[in-house]
Amino acid sequence: MNRRLAPTLVKGTVLASLIAVVGMKAYAAGKAAASDLEPVRSLDLERYMGTWYEIARYPNRFERKCAGNTTATYTAMPGGRVKVENRCRLDDGGTDVATGVARLCGPEGSPRLKVRFAPALLSFLPPVWGDYWVIDIDRNYQLAAVSEPGRDYLWILSRTPQVEKRALDALLARLSGQGFDMRKLVYTPQEETA
């Protein structure tokens, strides 16, 4: 094989694979759009900003290396976008950090956002943007649940590392009523900080 042609063929194969994955994700996203999952009525994005502790989640590939102390920090950016910083403790004591950006879908107050952790260079591709729907939040913005139309992902977030049992049980009952399987939840170890 021509040595000059080989890198071009490899790039072409990678590009073709990426296009195939994008097509499959777009098809799946179209199917998920018919979901009956309802987010909260409205979201005060300014009140939502700040750090949230992950209390529990559905298992997912993004966090398979996380051993605990998982947080999500949201910071308002110019133009209505939101910086998203997810961090967790690894088994070896190190820290994993993933930084992304979110954008509102719909009018101000919409609880539906799109989030991406892919490089900005790929932001024009719809499949790099994942659904981020706030599906439950208390009046004081202290306890929330986040998912997406297909119910494949679920996160329970709190402003504090520990949640009162009664409040958590009530949230779990509401989520169960929305079709989520509470047996799939993995609870996140959170150490109290001084």
Side-chain angles (χ1 to χ4, degrees):
M1 178 183 295
N2 183 327
R3 289 178 187 235
R4 290 183 188 171
L5 186 58
T8 303
L9 286 174
V10 169
K11 287 178 186 174
T13 302
V14 170
L15 182 59
S17 298
L18 177 62
I19 290 170
V21 168
V22 166
M24 289 186 291
K25 285 191 163 207
Y27 173 74
K31 285 177 58 180
S35 173
D36 63 345
L37 181 64
E38 286 294 324
V40 296
R41 210 171 278 227
S42 68
L43 181 71
D44 182 339
L45 200 55
E46 187 175 322
R47 287 182 70 195
Y48 196 76
M49 296 295 101
T51 298
W52 292 84
Y53 295 86
E54 180 186 271
I55 301 304
R57 70 175 184 271
Y58 273 4
N60 63 68
R61 64 182 175 86
F62 314 113
E63 295 178 79
R64 68 177 164 249
K65 294 180 181 179
C66 292
N69 294 357
T70 304
T71 61
T73 302
Y74 305 100
T75 308
M77 295 171 51
R81 297 220 171 178
V82 175
K83 177 184 174 186
V84 180
E85 183 179 274
N86 294 339
R87 95 179 24 244
C88 71
R89 179 180 42 81
L90 303 173
D91 277 328
D92 66 4
T95 301
D96 184 48
V97 179
T99 304
V101 65
R103 59 181 166 84
L104 197 61
C105 292
E108 186 175 329
S110 173
R112 298 175 189 198
L113 293 96
K114 293 277 190 181
V115 65
R116 90 170 148 72
F117 289 91
L121 162 71
L122 299 176
S123 64
F124 72 95
L125 295 169
V128 303
W129 292 92
D131 288 308
Y132 181 104
W133 289 12
V134 178
I135 59 169
D136 196 291
I137 194 161
D138 71 327
R139 183 178 323 172
N140 298 317
Y141 280 62
Q142 297 299 303
L143 185 62
V146 175
S147 187
E148 44 69 47
R151 292 183 178 88
D152 294 322
Y153 299 98
L154 176 64
W155 289 272
I156 295 175
L157 306 174
S158 172
R159 292 294 191 178
T160 58
Q162 309 300 323
V163 176
E164 180 185 296
K165 183 178 179 352
R166 187 176 68 194
L168 181 58
D169 287 347
L171 174 58
L172 296 178
R174 290 191 302 274
L175 292 173
S176 182
Q178 291 190 57
F180 289 94
D181 183 352
M182 297 298 96
R183 296 170 298 181
K184 289 174 57 176
L185 281 177
V186 173
Y187 288 85
T188 306
Q190 292 284 0
E191 298 167 8
E192 293 283 350
T193 55

